[in-house]
Amino acid sequence: LFLQFVLHTYTTGFTLLNGNGTPKVEDYSVLEKQVVYGLGAISYAACVGALPLVFMNRYTLKSPLTELIVRKLLPAPLFGFTSAFTAAVVRSPEFENGIDVMDRNGNVVGVSQNAGEKAVRETALSRALLFGTTFFLPEVLMYLVQRAKLVKTPRALASVRMIVITPVLAVMVPASFSMFPQCGEIKRADLEPEILSSTEETELFYNRGI
């Protein structure tokens, strides 16, 4: 539970610092709201991530099938889901209040909730890809290593696991960040009517964040 909390705290803090800074509401502090939302999302994600293992240990479910599901198969989709969830929650003001959309010359033509929703959705999907793949691929590779009996001792197996995880993470971080362009595009038909009346551009642009 503690390690889950630390991981999601780091990723949520990173998301908070690298989001789109457009939302500004006079009645309350957007940053304070994001921090509160973030703490709630971190706590929820940590509990959800740790629950299968806690449940297995609590009820002593130690069958090979249970071990396979809880320790090998479940972590990848679970981390993908919780990472996408925390990213979406902490950046929720962007689709609640909207973000700046610009023409080709960089001139702001309006604030769009639809663009904010698209930016948050793309970021959440990139987080799911990053952590889902990072937890899935090493398990597949370690299964092949164990099946081939290339490593004999638990200590050596742990070292090999770290060696496998490092290059996967090194590849997936830039791959997930470049999954969608930093300067996102949104079609005219997908924008709000009040923005359409202020420009004739067929495509507008927004800062997606990281």
Side-chain angles (χ1 to χ4, degrees):
L1 181 62
F2 174 73
L3 293 177
Q4 293 266 354
F5 190 87
V6 170
L7 174 63
H8 289 297
T9 299
Y10 174 78
T11 58
T12 300
F14 179 87
T15 302
L16 180 62
L17 292 174
N18 292 279
N20 185 299
T22 299
K24 295 178 179 66
V25 180
E26 296 179 359
D27 295 339
Y28 60 86
S29 169
V30 172
L31 180 59
E32 289 178 3
K33 182 178 180 180
Q34 286 179 300
V35 169
V36 172
Y37 279 11
L39 289 174
I42 291 166
S43 301
Y44 172 79
C47 291
V48 169
L51 186 61
L53 191 59
V54 171
F55 186 82
M56 184 183 74
N57 292 333
R58 174 67 177 80
Y59 294 99
T60 61
L61 303 174
K62 299 292 185 178
S63 69
L65 179 60
T66 304
E67 290 274 351
L68 175 65
I69 294 174
V70 174
R71 295 186 183 276
K72 305 295 183 183
L73 301 180
L74 198 56
L78 204 55
F79 270 106
F81 165 74
T82 53
S83 298
F85 172 78
T86 55
V89 169
V90 78
R91 289 183 57 177
S92 59
E94 294 179 27
F95 56 78
E96 290 176 354
N97 305 316
I99 61 175
D100 288 339
V101 288
M102 300 159 285
D103 60 19
R104 294 183 181 277
N105 298 318
N107 301 313
V108 176
V109 297
V111 176
S112 170
Q113 291 178 314
N114 294 345
E117 181 181 350
K118 189 170 184 284
V120 173
R121 182 173 64 250
E122 289 173 346
T123 303
L125 286 173
S126 70
R127 288 289 190 280
L129 173 70
L130 170 60
F131 288 98
T133 306
T134 300
F135 279 90
F136 174 73
L137 282 182
E139 289 299 334
V140 173
L141 296 174
M142 290 305 301
Y143 171 77
L144 296 176
V145 168
Q146 290 176 293
R147 186 181 179 87
K149 298 181 179 179
L150 299 176
V151 180
K152 304 297 183 181
T153 65
R155 179 174 295 181
L157 192 65
S159 300
V160 171
R161 184 181 296 276
M162 292 302 300
I163 293 172
V164 168
I165 289 174
T166 302
V168 171
L169 188 60
V171 170
M172 288 310 303
V173 168
S176 65
F177 286 169
S178 60
M179 182 178 176
F180 299 101
Q182 181 70 36
C183 182
E185 297 182 14
I186 186 168
K187 296 185 181 300
R188 177 185 177 87
D190 297 329
L191 292 168
E192 292 85 342
E194 58 270 21
I195 298 178
L196 297 180
S197 62
S198 62
T199 181
E200 295 298 325
E201 296 278 348
T202 56
E203 288 185 340
L204 293 170
F205 304 89
Y206 59 88
N207 173 30
R208 180 177 67 83
I210 300 177

